[in-house]
Amino acid sequence: MAQVLEFKLPDLGEGLTEAEIVRWLVEVGEVVAVDQPVVEVETAKAMVEVPCPYGGVVTARFGEEGSELPVGAPLLTVAVGEGTAPGGPQQGPGTRGAAEGARARTTESAATGAEQPKAEGSGNVLVGYGTSEAPARRRRVRPVRPEPAASQAGAAVNGRPVRTAEPEGPVPVISPLVRRLARQNDLDLRELTGSGPDGLILRADVEYALRAATAQGGRAAVQQGVADQGPSAPLTGSPVSSAPRPGGIRTPLKGVRGAVADKLSRSRREIPDATCWVDADATELMRARTAINASGGPKISLVALLARICTAALARFPELNSTVDTQAREVVQLDHVHLGFAAQTDRGLVVPVVRDAHARDAEGLTAEFARLTEAARAGRLTPGELTGGTFTLNNYGVFGVDGSTPIINHPEAAMLGVGRIVPKPWVHEGELAVRQVVQLSLTFDHRVCDGGTAGGFLRYVADCVEQPAVLLRTL
């Protein structure tokens, strides 16, 4: 007899709490193999294909394309066991019955506290989530609160609606951010009915409650309308806002754009940054690159040479390859360089990370930059390829600009900016000449070092750009 197993949206890493379903890769009734990708989801970090650790027949899918699911919500159910081999059951009444039976068994087990059967899966899912040897834990069940008769009849005492006693214990909330949002707006979470799995309160539930409170002119809407109706019910009474909404195009801050907005805002709030800059004669660096690429070997990119200069400069000034532990009030100097680089894509600005950049030569850096850039433009970067950077190189010269004061990529301590390389008048060997000039800027966290260290780092980078032979002395 086949056993129906439920596969939930796994933890995608880096504190991500939800994902948007972009494309289903399997249909109900289709046979899937162990570790076969079943759905493509988009998080605030990247596009990810999620593999299913079970092999069998898909009996149900949860969520339409374009909808968002919280981590831990059911993705699909799979019938595993007899009769699930290739060529087995197809989509039809029997399949739908199996799906309904899976839902019923899940609900029954949650209500009775019975243990679910152990899943025989590969365990090869994403960060922080497994399918085998999971620790035993009791599933939290949100009690069903019967509606009081006084409320059904619309009774009131002294002109106020009658409320029932609230259950004891903490309220299940999807993330601390949602709990903080409610606290900042003086909203009692016990008055809400969550729309997530098992009554889990989502950000949308809190935002709906706040909109309803504004529409009704105070807390009465939250206590009576929202708690009774839930986030999916239409608003009644006055409109959401009496003031006219300004015209124009509204773009939700979610996905990559939302993640970038949050990170940059946090950087501005927490990091006391300063910027220094210098013009440098890049003529010799450009000549050196031309000579290297004319030798017949693999082509070397300019950004790879700049990255090689960065890693050499960080070896001399390691204070800039640091992070600040605000809890311990310590500057943590790191012993490896994971070099991030800014890449503009159709989905927004992303910062892929070259792992152990200090251990790679110019050829290896060129290949890794090319691979990550292609993956970024195709939306195939994994969360691991977008996190963990220790220093960022920002080549904004590709946009045709000379200078910038970039925002540090939190929680890093510095970012090197490189403008366009253009012919300019320059005094060379005592005479005025036309040279290839570039502006370099360094934005740094003033907590990790003083201006002397930052200036020394930038001056060393400029010296290597002007005289590439300087770099050879550090190799």
Side-chain angles (χ1 to χ4, degrees), residues 256-319:
V256 172
R257 187 178 296 274
V260 170
D262 292 341
K263 198 161 193 177
L264 295 181
S265 298
R266 183 177 182 183
S267 179
R268 275 292 188 225
R269 287 194 308 268
E270 297 184 7
I271 298 179
D273 59 344
T275 302
C276 53
W277 58 89
V278 65
D279 289 340
D281 180 1
T283 305
E284 296 303 323
L285 179 67
M286 300 300 287
R287 286 177 179 172
R289 176 176 176 249
T290 300
I292 292 173
N293 290 341
S295 64
K299 302 297 182 183
I300 303 300
S301 67
L302 178 61
V303 69
L305 292 178
L306 293 171
R308 192 68 190 86
I309 292 173
C310 275
T311 57
L314 290 173
R316 282 179 166 246
F317 301 91
E319 297 92 338

Side-chain angles (χ1 to χ4, degrees), residues 58-81:
V58 177
T59 59
R61 299 186 318 193
F62 302 94
E64 299 296 330
E65 293 180 355
S67 63
E68 289 189 350
L69 290 179
V71 169
L75 265 181
L76 50 78
T77 54
V78 179
V80 179

Side-chain angles (χ1 to χ4, degrees), residues 224-407:
Q224 183 175 356
V226 181
D228 295 340
Q229 297 177 24
S232 60
L235 285 171
T236 58
S238 59
V240 172
S241 176
S242 58
R245 291 166 63 89
I249 299 174
R250 293 174 175 266
T251 303
L253 283 175
K254 66 177 186 177
V256 172
R257 187 178 296 274
V260 170
D262 292 341
K263 198 161 193 177
L264 295 181
S265 298
R266 183 177 182 183
S267 179
R268 275 292 188 225
R269 287 194 308 268
E270 297 184 7
I271 298 179
D273 59 344
T275 302
C276 53
W277 58 89
V278 65
D279 289 340
D281 180 1
T283 305
E284 296 303 323
L285 179 67
M286 300 300 287
R287 286 177 179 172
R289 176 176 176 249
T290 300
I292 292 173
N293 290 341
S295 64
K299 302 297 182 183
I300 303 300
S301 67
L302 178 61
V303 69
L305 292 178
L306 293 171
R308 192 68 190 86
I309 292 173
C310 275
T311 57
L314 290 173
R316 282 179 166 246
F317 301 91
E319 297 92 338
L320 291 166
N321 192 52
S322 303
T323 187
V324 176
D325 186 341
T326 56
Q327 298 295 328
R329 293 183 61 82
E330 294 176 342
V331 175
V332 182
Q333 193 174 114
L334 306 172
D335 57 2
H336 53 267
V337 179
H338 296 331
L339 186 66
F341 66 98
Q344 190 70 37
T345 71
D346 293 339
R347 300 172 61 240
L349 177 69
V350 295
V351 184
V353 177
V354 177
R355 302 284 167 180
D356 297 316
H358 60 287
R360 300 174 186 260
D361 58 15
E363 182 179 335
L365 287 168
T366 298
E368 187 66 358
F369 277 125
R371 183 188 73 81
L372 291 172
T373 300
E374 181 182 357
R377 290 171 178 168
R380 297 195 309 267
L381 288 172
T382 66
E385 291 170 330
L386 284 165
T387 55
T390 63
F391 186 92
T392 296
L393 173 63
N394 188 357
N395 181 21
Y396 44 73
V398 297
F399 301 117
V401 298
D402 296 327
S404 174
T405 54
I407 300 176

